[in-house]
Amino acid sequence: MTAYTQEIGKAGKPVDRARGLWKHTTVRRHVHAVLSATLAEMAPGVERCMYCGDNQGTDIDHFEPLSRAPLRTFDWHNHLLACSLCNSHQKREAFPVDPRGRPLLIDPSSEDPADHLHLVLAVGEYLPLTPRGEATCEVFGLNRGVLVRGRRKVYRITRLCIEEWLRAHEKGDDEGVREWTSTVWEQPTADVVYAMFHQAMAPGAKDVFADDPGVLRLLTDERVRAGLLG
């Protein structure tokens, strides 16, 4: 990796050299394979996109684009697993910054998106809390229709899954507990599950879950939290 970075730094046209090296057959066969496998283990759900959380992560995205930072082409901390829609159609070369040059996009691998985005569970839409949240929503289209519908479905399904988990736990069915645990966390848009548990313990939780107090009771049950949150 260091050798590649040095080669890019010495090139007359660093961006062109970075692109050429990144697409080289040897790099794709060896470097891409290792990065993809490692990022897949870090990704939410089952190898889901680190941005939308819905589609399968098929691409290695450079958080700070090559066109802007060619020397970060092989920087481990600049790589994220993304779906082709978020990477090639939504984000592309976009990388908004604030007046001081600091990134406005949220890096989900190093910070908590909940500090910048609030998921309205019943609606399935993200409400930006900060300029960074707003920029991230806009660039990745986080409130596009298909994602909103998917989140609403996961919200409904997760309650049923947790109920089944609790039944298995009460019966001492260890295999059932494992199966329902994986079902809860390996769904697409697993960000909904995180938001449910987080908001259940936040001030105003009774208002958030006013339409279905049973969900709040499940999410605050000590057995459930210990078993599903570890």
Side-chain angles (χ1 to χ4, degrees):
M1 295 277 196
T2 301
Y4 290 137
T5 301
Q6 291 175 345
E7 187 173 338
I8 293 169
K10 295 176 182 178
K13 296 181 178 180
V15 173
D16 291 345
R17 189 58 184 144
R19 293 190 189 282
L21 284 172
W22 184 252
K23 295 179 180 179
H24 193 278
T25 302
T26 301
V27 172
R28 294 181 68 86
R29 183 179 301 134
H30 299 290
V31 177
H32 288 212
V34 174
L35 279 174
S36 294
T38 304
L39 290 171
E41 293 180 359
M42 297 168 56
V46 182
E47 300 182 14
R48 297 290 167 175
C49 173
M50 290 180 171
Y51 293 123
C52 71
D54 185 44
N55 299 320
Q56 181 183 2
T58 55
D59 299 358
I60 299 173
D61 173 59
H62 290 89
F63 180 66
E64 190 171 8
L66 302 190
S67 59
R68 174 186 170 89
L71 292 179
R72 298 197 68 195
T73 300
F74 293 93
D75 178 359
W76 164 252
H77 299 289
N78 197 41
H79 299 135
L80 295 173
L81 191 69
C83 66
S84 59
L85 180 59
C86 283
N87 186 33
S88 302
H89 297 276
Q90 293 290 148
K91 184 188 178 200
R92 294 173 289 183
E93 299 295 326
F95 195 72
V97 296
D98 67 13
R100 297 176 62 181
R102 295 174 299 189
L104 282 173
L105 295 182
I106 300 167
D107 181 349
S109 69
S110 63
E111 54 190 323
D112 188 353
D115 292 337
H116 307 280
L117 293 164
H118 174 76
L119 180 58
V120 183
L121 291 166
V123 179
E125 293 186 0
Y126 271 110
L127 177 68
L129 302 176
T130 67
R132 296 186 65 201
E134 185 174 0
T136 301
C137 263
E138 181 178 350
V139 168
F140 293 104
L142 294 184
N143 285 330
R144 57 185 186 265
V146 65
L147 295 179
V148 170
R149 292 196 300 275
R151 293 185 195 116
R152 289 202 300 262
K153 289 181 180 179
V154 169
Y155 179 49
R156 293 194 297 270
I157 291 171
T158 298
R159 178 208 172 124
L160 302 177
C161 292
I162 294 176
E163 288 175 342
E164 291 298 329
W165 181 95
L166 191 54
R167 291 191 185 97
H169 173 78
E170 290 173 340
K171 292 190 297 184
D173 180 2
D174 293 340
E175 182 178 354
V177 166
R178 287 192 296 271
E179 289 180 353
W180 285 110
T181 298
S182 64
T183 300
V184 168
W185 290 113
E186 294 180 0
Q187 301 177 82
T189 59
D191 52 324
V192 174
V193 184
Y194 286 104
M196 290 173 68
F197 278 109
H198 175 74
Q199 294 182 32
M201 303 303 290
K206 291 184 178 179
D207 294 329
V208 172
F209 299 96
D211 292 340
D212 194 347
V215 175
L216 182 58
R217 286 194 294 272
L218 279 172
L219 295 171
T220 55
D221 188 303
E222 292 184 2
R223 297 168 297 175
V224 171
R225 297 189 70 84
L228 289 175
L229 295 177

